[in-house]
């Protein structure tokens, strides 16, 4: 077995291809209609991880010609003020997508804020109506959440067919696990969700043709849990201590990468797999939202 090496699904390369496609469309909109997509990114407080995500999103907008509307609010902003800022963005015709960076400070109810974002501008895909339509057969949401959408796009662009396959999703979060399982169902996979209360997760995962790992547990899925030739999309991003690194830690996925490489057919690395795709899908959602308005 040991001379087998899984094909690496390079999310950076695939995301770059998608960005080039978006950039060409943005130029076309600009030349044809004199308008470009606009994305508003709202951040509350000074969390370092949130700030680095937001900066990455803003930089990506600049590179692709998407107009960025930046709203940085203090940690102690009243909930009512944040809602009123969201309402202003809802009615701004130059804004086609609104993203409120989560998590929000404790005094603000996240669900209350997300439901205030206009359905037509919900580029994160978390509005209850978008999620509800995703869950229903024969209905399509205006926007699909970015990370799950990126997972499916990685499979498609790597030539992995989903139809009729056994897919196991590890984790049931609202952000990844649940929506990605609904997307797989829409693509005609047979889907099982493994979570913290699942008995014999190893046995279930071993049946999977496709594994989407989104549990947030470092190297939880061992090589011996993986069916030979399976496609593995690892969404997990876990920091583990590593004194050899300047930061004192390194990032690993939910799958034991080195073991998995000896069994799986193809696999995403961490970092560099799903992460770049999430930002690419956010930009794609913003473009789609803009096209609905500009071309209508």
């Amino acid at each position: 077995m040991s001379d087998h090496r899984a094909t690496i699904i390079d999310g950076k390369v695939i995301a770059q291809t998608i960005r080039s496609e978006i950039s060409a469309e943005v130029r076309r909109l600009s030349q044809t209609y004199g308008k470009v997509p606009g994305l508003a990114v709202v951040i509350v407080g000074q969390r370092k991880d949130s700030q680095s995500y937001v900066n990455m999103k803003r930089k990506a907008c600049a590179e692709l010609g998407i107009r960025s509307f930046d709203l940085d609010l203090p940690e102690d902003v009243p909930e009512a003020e944040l809602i009123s800022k969201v309402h202003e963005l809802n009615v701004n015709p130059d804004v086609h997508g609104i993203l409120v960076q989560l998590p929000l400070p404790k005094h603000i109810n996240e669900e209350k804020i997300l439901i205030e974002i206009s359905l037509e501008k919900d580029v994160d895909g978390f509005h209850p109506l978008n999620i509800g339509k995703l869950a229903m057969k024969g209905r399509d949401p205006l926007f699909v959440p970015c990370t799950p959408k990126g997972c499916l796009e990685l499979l498609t662009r790597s030539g992995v067919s989903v139809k009729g396959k056994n897919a196991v999703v590890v984790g049931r979060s609202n952000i990844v696990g649940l929506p990605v399982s609904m997307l797989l169902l829409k693509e005609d996979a047979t889907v099982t969700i493994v979570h913290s209360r699942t008995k014999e997760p190893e046995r279930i995962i071993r049946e999977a043709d496709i594994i989407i790992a989104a549990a947030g547990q470092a190297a939880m899925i061992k090589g011996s849990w993986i069916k030979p030739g399976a496609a593995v999309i690892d969404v997990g991003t876990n920091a583990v201590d590593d004194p050899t690194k300047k930061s004192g830690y390194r990032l690993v996925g939910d799958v034991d990468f080195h073991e998995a490489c000896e069994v799986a057919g193809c696999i995403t690395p961490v970092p560099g797999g799903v992460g770049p795709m999430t930002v690419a899908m956010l930009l794609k959602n913003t473009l789609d939202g803009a096209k609905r308005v500009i071309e209508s």
Side-chain angles (χ1 to χ4, degrees):
M1 262 326 275
S2 60
D3 57 352
H4 169 85
R5 296 298 289 169
T7 304
I8 302 299
I9 299 176
D10 192 330
K12 283 184 186 163
V13 170
I14 295 173
Q16 202 47 58
T17 305
I18 293 167
R19 282 180 177 218
S20 303
E21 294 164 6
I22 295 168
S23 180
E25 274 293 278
V26 170
R27 273 198 307 278
R28 185 185 67 77
L29 287 176
S30 176
Q31 287 159 4
T32 312
Y33 301 95
K35 290 180 178 167
V36 297
L39 175 66
V41 180
V42 182
I43 181 169
V44 180
Q46 301 288 321
R47 272 181 70 121
K48 286 276 178 287
D49 57 345
S50 290
Q51 284 186 317
S52 71
Y53 284 137
V54 164
N55 290 337
M56 195 164 61
K57 287 162 186 172
R58 289 172 177 170
K59 185 168 165 260
C61 283
E63 284 168 10
L64 271 57
I66 292 172
R67 191 170 160 201
S68 187
F69 294 79
D70 304 341
L71 202 58
D72 297 68
L73 299 170
E75 182 83 27
D76 59 358
V77 67
E79 186 176 83
E81 191 180 325
L82 177 55
I83 288 173
S84 107
K85 295 284 186 199
V86 167
H87 288 172
E88 283 171 31
L89 295 169
N90 281 344
V91 297
N92 182 337
D94 296 324
V95 172
H96 304 101
I98 301 169
L99 178 134
V100 177
Q101 184 64 44
L102 302 178
L104 290 168
K106 293 276 184 280
H107 70 282
I108 295 175
N109 179 332
E110 286 184 0
E111 196 180 339
K112 217 167 166 182
I113 302 303
L114 294 179
I115 209 162
E116 292 297 333
I117 296 171
S118 157
L119 195 63
E120 287 76 21
K121 300 187 180 189
D122 172 40
V123 284
D124 246 347
F126 291 148
H127 192 290
L129 279 174
N130 273 324
I131 291 287
K133 283 189 171 178
L134 182 62
M136 293 168 83
K137 201 174 165 190
R139 302 279 178 92
D140 286 312
L142 282 176
F143 298 104
V144 170
C146 302
T147 302
K149 186 174 178 171
C151 292
L152 269 285
E153 195 72 28
L154 283 171
L155 290 169
T156 304
R157 292 192 184 230
S158 303
V160 177
S161 159
V162 175
K163 198 177 188 139
K165 298 278 180 66
N166 281 337
V168 171
V169 177
V170 185
R172 53 176 167 179
S173 73
N174 288 335
I175 292 174
V176 184
L178 278 175
V180 86
S181 57
M182 294 190 281
L183 277 178
L184 288 161
L185 267 179
K186 275 198 191 297
E187 295 297 323
D188 298 323
T190 300
V191 183
T192 308
I193 301 175
V194 165
H195 50 78
S196 56
R197 301 283 182 272
T198 302
K199 291 184 168 67
E200 299 182 74
E202 186 180 334
R203 180 183 59 76
I204 295 165
I205 293 168
R206 208 178 277 130
E207 303 277 294
D209 304 306
I210 296 166
I211 299 167
I212 312 266
Q217 281 192 36
M220 164 194 163
I221 298 168
K222 306 298 175 197
S224 61
W225 295 26
I226 297 169
K227 178 180 180 178
V232 180
I233 305 288
D234 193 347
V235 186
T237 312
N238 312 288
V240 297
D241 293 337
D242 186 343
T244 67
K245 299 278 185 204
K246 193 173 150 192
S247 60
Y249 68 88
R250 63 192 161 87
L251 295 177
V252 301
D254 290 351
V255 178
D256 186 317
F257 183 75
H258 297 292
E259 287 186 15
C261 278
E262 295 183 4
V263 196
C266 54
I267 186 170
T268 56
V270 174
V274 177
M277 291 297 289
T278 299
V279 178
M281 292 299 110
L282 170 69
L283 301 168
K284 177 78 168 71
N285 278 352
T286 304
L287 170 67
D288 292 346
K291 281 167 74 170
R292 274 196 282 267
V293 175
I294 295 169
E295 297 184 325
S296 63

